[in-house]
Amino acid sequence: MKIVIAGRHANVTDSMKAYAREKVEKLRKFFDRATLARVTLDSEHDAFSVEMVFDVPRGVSLVGKAEAPDMYAACDLAEQKLGAQLRRYKQRLTDHRGPRIAGAEVEVSTTGGPAALEATPEDAVTYEDVIDRMRRGE
């Protein structure tokens, strides 16, 4: 993976570059198929901002931006935000089953065709039941 570190309105020291490179390398453990990582270190009047962009396959760019009074703290915050995005992106790629709905059952007929689901009012799962289960984490 190619790593590009640039500064905007700031002189980027070697220690800042090394720190940013270390953070990008740490993010590779979440998703190692990224093709390019761009880190932009920006200095404004009283705050520093860091923008980390990971280019991943299929033309997707994941961005983590953070602002802090210290450049190293901003780098840490941007790394945390981008790490969360990379975890979600990887989970989306690896989860092939689709959403699960509690209480839903599928019956297969012996004739090979799809079977009709017969739900009685006491067996029916309502929208409110599904929302309540999602809130409880079930």
Side-chain angles (χ1 to χ4, degrees):
M1 172 174 61
K2 183 177 178 184
I3 300 172
V4 178
I5 300 172
R8 185 181 318 144
H9 306 121
N11 292 330
V12 181
T13 63
D14 290 336
S15 63
M16 285 184 199
K17 285 183 181 181
Y19 193 74
R21 185 175 303 278
E22 175 185 322
K23 292 297 176 178
V24 168
E25 291 295 329
K26 186 177 177 184
L27 289 172
R28 288 185 68 185
K29 72 178 180 182
F30 297 121
F31 192 77
D32 59 347
R33 292 186 292 166
T35 57
L36 175 67
R38 291 185 306 259
V39 180
T40 305
L41 308 170
D42 190 8
S43 172
E44 295 179 9
H45 297 289
D46 57 348
F48 294 96
S49 64
V50 173
E51 179 182 64
M52 292 185 177
V53 180
F54 261 50
D55 290 339
V56 293
R58 299 185 184 179
V60 178
S61 293
L62 303 174
V63 181
K65 295 180 184 178
E67 244 184 67
D70 181 33
M71 183 69 77
Y72 296 101
C75 198
D76 290 339
L77 292 172
E79 180 235 343
Q80 288 176 356
K81 289 179 181 181
L82 189 57
Q85 288 184 25
L86 284 167
R87 276 187 235 103
R88 282 194 305 264
Y89 180 74
K90 186 173 182 179
Q91 184 178 9
R92 260 186 248 131
L93 290 179
T94 58
D95 189 16
H96 300 292
R97 292 182 299 203
R100 289 185 170 188
I101 299 174
E105 295 180 13
V106 178
E107 295 179 15
V108 179
S109 69
T110 57
T111 61
L117 295 176
E118 297 178 14
T120 59
E122 55 269 9
D123 292 359
V125 177
T126 64
Y127 178 75
E128 289 79 19
D129 294 336
V130 173
I131 297 299
D132 288 339
R133 287 183 185 143
M134 287 175 61
R135 286 186 182 146
R136 289 191 302 251
E138 294 178 11

PDB file of all heavy atoms in Angstrom, residues 22-41:
ATOM      1  N   GLU A  22       2.968   5.415  11.310  1.00  0.00           N
ATOM      2  CA  GLU A  22       2.712   4.373  12.306  1.00  0.00           C
ATOM      3  C   GLU A  22       1.207   4.137  12.483  1.00  0.00           C
ATOM      4  O   GLU A  22       0.754   2.991  12.574  1.00  0.00           O
ATOM      5  CB  GLU A  22       3.339   4.802  13.634  1.00  0.00           C
ATOM      6  CG  GLU A  22       3.073   3.893  14.798  1.00  0.00           C
ATOM      7  CD  GLU A  22       3.627   4.483  16.087  1.00  0.00           C
ATOM      8  OE1 GLU A  22       4.713   5.099  16.056  1.00  0.00           O
ATOM      9  OE2 GLU A  22       2.963   4.320  17.124  1.00  0.00           O
ATOM     10  N   LYS A  23       0.421   5.215  12.483  1.00  0.00           N
ATOM     11  CA  LYS A  23      -1.030   5.087  12.633  1.00  0.00           C
ATOM     12  C   LYS A  23      -1.652   4.406  11.414  1.00  0.00           C
ATOM     13  O   LYS A  23      -2.562   3.588  11.542  1.00  0.00           O
ATOM     14  CB  LYS A  23      -1.673   6.467  12.854  1.00  0.00           C
ATOM     15  CG  LYS A  23      -1.307   7.092  14.175  1.00  0.00           C
ATOM     16  CD  LYS A  23      -1.806   6.244  15.308  1.00  0.00           C
ATOM     17  CE  LYS A  23      -1.395   6.779  16.649  1.00  0.00           C
ATOM     18  NZ  LYS A  23      -1.902   5.987  17.761  1.00  0.00           N
ATOM     19  N   VAL A  24      -1.166   4.734  10.235  1.00  0.00           N
ATOM     20  CA  VAL A  24      -1.685   4.100   9.014  1.00  0.00           C
ATOM     21  C   VAL A  24      -1.345   2.613   9.011  1.00  0.00           C
ATOM     22  O   VAL A  24      -2.178   1.770   8.659  1.00  0.00           O
ATOM     23  CB  VAL A  24      -1.131   4.810   7.756  1.00  0.00           C
ATOM     24  CG1 VAL A  24      -1.427   4.003   6.509  1.00  0.00           C
ATOM     25  CG2 VAL A  24      -1.718   6.203   7.635  1.00  0.00           C
ATOM     26  N   GLU A  25      -0.141   2.276   9.414  1.00  0.00           N
ATOM     27  CA  GLU A  25       0.248   0.862   9.480  1.00  0.00           C
ATOM     28  C   GLU A  25      -0.617   0.108  10.487  1.00  0.00           C
ATOM     29  O   GLU A  25      -0.946  -1.059  10.282  1.00  0.00           O
ATOM     30  CB  GLU A  25       1.725   0.730   9.839  1.00  0.00           C
ATOM     31  CG  GLU A  25       2.671   1.188   8.755  1.00  0.00           C
ATOM     32  CD  GLU A  25       2.598   0.340   7.495  1.00  0.00           C
ATOM     33  OE1 GLU A  25       2.304  -0.870   7.597  1.00  0.00           O
ATOM     34  OE2 GLU A  25       2.817   0.900   6.414  1.00  0.00           O
ATOM     35  N   LYS A  26      -0.990   0.770  11.569  1.00  0.00           N
ATOM     36  CA  LYS A  26      -1.850   0.147  12.568  1.00  0.00           C
ATOM     37  C   LYS A  26      -3.240  -0.144  11.980  1.00  0.00           C
ATOM     38  O   LYS A  26      -3.865  -1.151  12.301  1.00  0.00           O
ATOM     39  CB  LYS A  26      -1.979   1.073  13.779  1.00  0.00           C
ATOM     40  CG  LYS A  26      -2.733   0.482  14.929  1.00  0.00           C
ATOM     41  CD  LYS A  26      -2.739   1.443  16.107  1.00  0.00           C
ATOM     42  CE  LYS A  26      -3.559   0.886  17.246  1.00  0.00           C
ATOM     43  NZ  LYS A  26      -3.645   1.838  18.359  1.00  0.00           N
ATOM     44  N   LEU A  27      -3.709   0.734  11.092  1.00  0.00           N
ATOM     45  CA  LEU A  27      -5.024   0.532  10.474  1.00  0.00           C
ATOM     46  C   LEU A  27      -5.032  -0.607   9.466  1.00  0.00           C
ATOM     47  O   LEU A  27      -6.086  -1.145   9.151  1.00  0.00           O
ATOM     48  CB  LEU A  27      -5.487   1.823   9.790  1.00  0.00           C
ATOM     49  CG  LEU A  27      -5.887   2.951  10.719  1.00  0.00           C
ATOM     50  CD1 LEU A  27      -6.122   4.221   9.923  1.00  0.00           C
ATOM     51  CD2 LEU A  27      -7.128   2.578  11.509  1.00  0.00           C
ATOM     52  N   ARG A  28      -3.874  -0.978   8.957  1.00  0.00           N
ATOM     53  CA  ARG A  28      -3.807  -2.068   7.976  1.00  0.00           C
ATOM     54  C   ARG A  28      -4.260  -3.397   8.560  1.00  0.00           C
ATOM     55  O   ARG A  28      -4.663  -4.289   7.825  1.00  0.00           O
ATOM     56  CB  ARG A  28      -2.402  -2.205   7.418  1.00  0.00           C
ATOM     57  CG  ARG A  28      -2.055  -1.070   6.476  1.00  0.00           C
ATOM     58  CD  ARG A  28      -0.738  -1.257   5.851  1.00  0.00           C
ATOM     59  NE  ARG A  28      -0.809  -2.402   4.926  1.00  0.00           N
ATOM     60  CZ  ARG A  28       0.233  -2.876   4.291  1.00  0.00           C
ATOM     61  NH1 ARG A  28       1.418  -2.334   4.470  1.00  0.00           N
ATOM     62  NH2 ARG A  28       0.110  -3.893   3.474  1.00  0.00           N
ATOM     63  N   LYS A  29      -4.212  -3.553   9.888  1.00  0.00           N
ATOM     64  CA  LYS A  29      -4.642  -4.830  10.474  1.00  0.00           C
ATOM     65  C   LYS A  29      -6.155  -5.019  10.339  1.00  0.00           C
ATOM     66  O   LYS A  29      -6.643  -6.129  10.349  1.00  0.00           O
ATOM     67  CB  LYS A  29      -4.217  -4.928  11.937  1.00  0.00           C
ATOM     68  CG  LYS A  29      -4.980  -4.044  12.883  1.00  0.00           C
ATOM     69  CD  LYS A  29      -4.512  -4.246  14.298  1.00  0.00           C
ATOM     70  CE  LYS A  29      -5.291  -3.335  15.234  1.00  0.00           C
ATOM     71  NZ  LYS A  29      -4.846  -3.465  16.593  1.00  0.00           N
ATOM     72  N   PHE A  30      -6.912  -3.913  10.194  1.00  0.00           N
ATOM     73  CA  PHE A  30      -8.354  -4.026  10.012  1.00  0.00           C
ATOM     74  C   PHE A  30      -8.712  -4.387   8.577  1.00  0.00           C
ATOM     75  O   PHE A  30      -9.647  -5.128   8.328  1.00  0.00           O
ATOM     76  CB  PHE A  30      -9.063  -2.722  10.381  1.00  0.00           C
ATOM     77  CG  PHE A  30      -8.903  -2.339  11.808  1.00  0.00           C
ATOM     78  CD1 PHE A  30      -8.337  -1.138  12.156  1.00  0.00           C
ATOM     79  CD2 PHE A  30      -9.321  -3.180  12.823  1.00  0.00           C
ATOM     80  CE1 PHE A  30      -8.189  -0.775  13.466  1.00  0.00           C
ATOM     81  CE2 PHE A  30      -9.173  -2.839  14.138  1.00  0.00           C
ATOM     82  CZ  PHE A  30      -8.602  -1.630  14.459  1.00  0.00           C
ATOM     83  N   PHE A  31      -7.971  -3.812   7.631  1.00  0.00           N
ATOM     84  CA  PHE A  31      -8.279  -4.042   6.224  1.00  0.00           C
ATOM     85  C   PHE A  31      -6.982  -3.908   5.443  1.00  0.00           C
ATOM     86  O   PHE A  31      -6.489  -2.805   5.218  1.00  0.00           O
ATOM     87  CB  PHE A  31      -9.316  -3.022   5.740  1.00  0.00           C
ATOM     88  CG  PHE A  31      -9.897  -3.355   4.404  1.00  0.00           C
ATOM     89  CD1 PHE A  31     -10.866  -4.333   4.277  1.00  0.00           C
ATOM     90  CD2 PHE A  31      -9.474  -2.695   3.264  1.00  0.00           C
ATOM     91  CE1 PHE A  31     -11.399  -4.640   3.038  1.00  0.00           C
ATOM     92  CE2 PHE A  31     -10.000  -3.005   2.038  1.00  0.00           C
ATOM     93  CZ  PHE A  31     -10.967  -3.972   1.925  1.00  0.00           C
ATOM     94  N   ASP A  32      -6.426  -5.028   5.009  1.00  0.00           N
ATOM     95  CA  ASP A  32      -5.106  -5.006   4.376  1.00  0.00           C
ATOM     96  C   ASP A  32      -5.152  -4.878   2.861  1.00  0.00           C
ATOM     97  O   ASP A  32      -4.109  -4.859   2.217  1.00  0.00           O
ATOM     98  CB  ASP A  32      -4.315  -6.248   4.770  1.00  0.00           C
ATOM     99  CG  ASP A  32      -5.003  -7.536   4.371  1.00  0.00           C
ATOM    100  OD1 ASP A  32      -6.187  -7.493   4.008  1.00  0.00           O
ATOM    101  OD2 ASP A  32      -4.356  -8.586   4.432  1.00  0.00           O
ATOM    102  N   ARG A  33      -6.348  -4.774   2.278  1.00  0.00           N
ATOM    103  CA  ARG A  33      -6.442  -4.673   0.821  1.00  0.00           C
ATOM    104  C   ARG A  33      -6.542  -3.232   0.328  1.00  0.00           C
ATOM    105  O   ARG A  33      -6.877  -2.999  -0.824  1.00  0.00           O
ATOM    106  CB  ARG A  33      -7.635  -5.476   0.320  1.00  0.00           C
ATOM    107  CG  ARG A  33      -7.436  -6.970   0.507  1.00  0.00           C
ATOM    108  CD  ARG A  33      -8.553  -7.743  -0.111  1.00  0.00           C
ATOM    109  NE  ARG A  33      -9.786  -7.514   0.634  1.00  0.00           N
ATOM    110  CZ  ARG A  33     -10.989  -7.830   0.197  1.00  0.00           C
ATOM    111  NH1 ARG A  33     -11.142  -8.373  -0.971  1.00  0.00           N
ATOM    112  NH2 ARG A  33     -12.058  -7.599   0.931  1.00  0.00           N
ATOM    113  N   ALA A  34      -6.280  -2.262   1.183  1.00  0.00           N
ATOM    114  CA  ALA A  34      -6.313  -0.867   0.763  1.00  0.00           C
ATOM    115  C   ALA A  34      -5.173  -0.612  -0.222  1.00  0.00           C
ATOM    116  O   ALA A  34      -4.085  -1.172  -0.103  1.00  0.00           O
ATOM    117  CB  ALA A  34      -6.193   0.054   1.972  1.00  0.00           C
ATOM    118  N   THR A  35      -5.425   0.237  -1.203  1.00  0.00           N
ATOM    119  CA  THR A  35      -4.430   0.492  -2.234  1.00  0.00           C
ATOM    120  C   THR A  35      -3.628   1.756  -1.983  1.00  0.00           C
ATOM    121  O   THR A  35      -2.469   1.841  -2.369  1.00  0.00           O
ATOM    122  CB  THR A  35      -5.108   0.597  -3.612  1.00  0.00           C
ATOM    123  OG1 THR A  35      -6.102   1.624  -3.557  1.00  0.00           O
ATOM    124  CG2 THR A  35      -5.743  -0.718  -3.999  1.00  0.00           C
ATOM    125  N   LEU A  36      -4.245   2.749  -1.325  1.00  0.00           N
ATOM    126  CA  LEU A  36      -3.586   4.028  -1.110  1.00  0.00           C
ATOM    127  C   LEU A  36      -4.087   4.636   0.186  1.00  0.00           C
ATOM    128  O   LEU A  36      -5.277   4.569   0.498  1.00  0.00           O
ATOM    129  CB  LEU A  36      -3.891   4.981  -2.277  1.00  0.00           C
ATOM    130  CG  LEU A  36      -3.388   6.416  -2.175  1.00  0.00           C
ATOM    131  CD1 LEU A  36      -1.867   6.450  -2.233  1.00  0.00           C
ATOM    132  CD2 LEU A  36      -3.979   7.263  -3.278  1.00  0.00           C
ATOM    133  N   ALA A  37      -3.171   5.224   0.939  1.00  0.00           N
ATOM    134  CA  ALA A  37      -3.530   5.964   2.154  1.00  0.00           C
ATOM    135  C   ALA A  37      -2.968   7.367   2.021  1.00  0.00           C
ATOM    136  O   ALA A  37      -1.778   7.546   1.778  1.00  0.00           O
ATOM    137  CB  ALA A  37      -2.975   5.279   3.388  1.00  0.00           C
ATOM    138  N   ARG A  38      -3.860   8.361   2.152  1.00  0.00           N
ATOM    139  CA  ARG A  38      -3.436   9.750   2.092  1.00  0.00           C
ATOM    140  C   ARG A  38      -3.677  10.382   3.460  1.00  0.00           C
ATOM    141  O   ARG A  38      -4.786  10.298   4.001  1.00  0.00           O
ATOM    142  CB  ARG A  38      -4.233  10.515   1.041  1.00  0.00           C
ATOM    143  CG  ARG A  38      -3.929  10.096  -0.369  1.00  0.00           C
ATOM    144  CD  ARG A  38      -4.665  10.973  -1.362  1.00  0.00           C
ATOM    145  NE  ARG A  38      -6.096  11.016  -1.119  1.00  0.00           N
ATOM    146  CZ  ARG A  38      -7.001  10.326  -1.801  1.00  0.00           C
ATOM    147  NH1 ARG A  38      -6.619   9.530  -2.754  1.00  0.00           N
ATOM    148  NH2 ARG A  38      -8.275  10.434  -1.529  1.00  0.00           N
ATOM    149  N   VAL A  39      -2.665  11.030   4.004  1.00  0.00           N
ATOM    150  CA  VAL A  39      -2.778  11.717   5.285  1.00  0.00           C
ATOM    151  C   VAL A  39      -2.445  13.183   5.043  1.00  0.00           C
ATOM    152  O   VAL A  39      -1.369  13.506   4.517  1.00  0.00           O
ATOM    153  CB  VAL A  39      -1.816  11.121   6.337  1.00  0.00           C
ATOM    154  CG1 VAL A  39      -1.966  11.850   7.656  1.00  0.00           C
ATOM    155  CG2 VAL A  39      -2.074   9.638   6.506  1.00  0.00           C
ATOM    156  N   THR A  40      -3.374  14.067   5.419  1.00  0.00           N
ATOM    157  CA  THR A  40      -3.151  15.495   5.278  1.00  0.00           C
ATOM    158  C   THR A  40      -3.137  16.120   6.661  1.00  0.00           C
ATOM    159  O   THR A  40      -4.121  16.034   7.400  1.00  0.00           O
ATOM    160  CB  THR A  40      -4.268  16.136   4.422  1.00  0.00           C
ATOM    161  OG1 THR A  40      -4.339  15.450   3.175  1.00  0.00           O
ATOM    162  CG2 THR A  40      -3.981  17.599   4.181  1.00  0.00           C
ATOM    163  N   LEU A  41      -2.021  16.737   7.007  1.00  0.00           N
ATOM    164  CA  LEU A  41      -1.853  17.395   8.292  1.00  0.00           C
ATOM    165  C   LEU A  41      -2.023  18.893   8.062  1.00  0.00           C
ATOM    166  O   LEU A  41      -1.289  19.493   7.274  1.00  0.00           O
ATOM    167  CB  LEU A  41      -0.477  17.086   8.871  1.00  0.00           C
ATOM    168  CG  LEU A  41      -0.106  15.602   8.944  1.00  0.00           C
ATOM    169  CD1 LEU A  41       1.353  15.434   9.292  1.00  0.00           C
ATOM    170  CD2 LEU A  41      -0.974  14.893   9.947  1.00  0.00           C
TER     171      LEU A  41
END
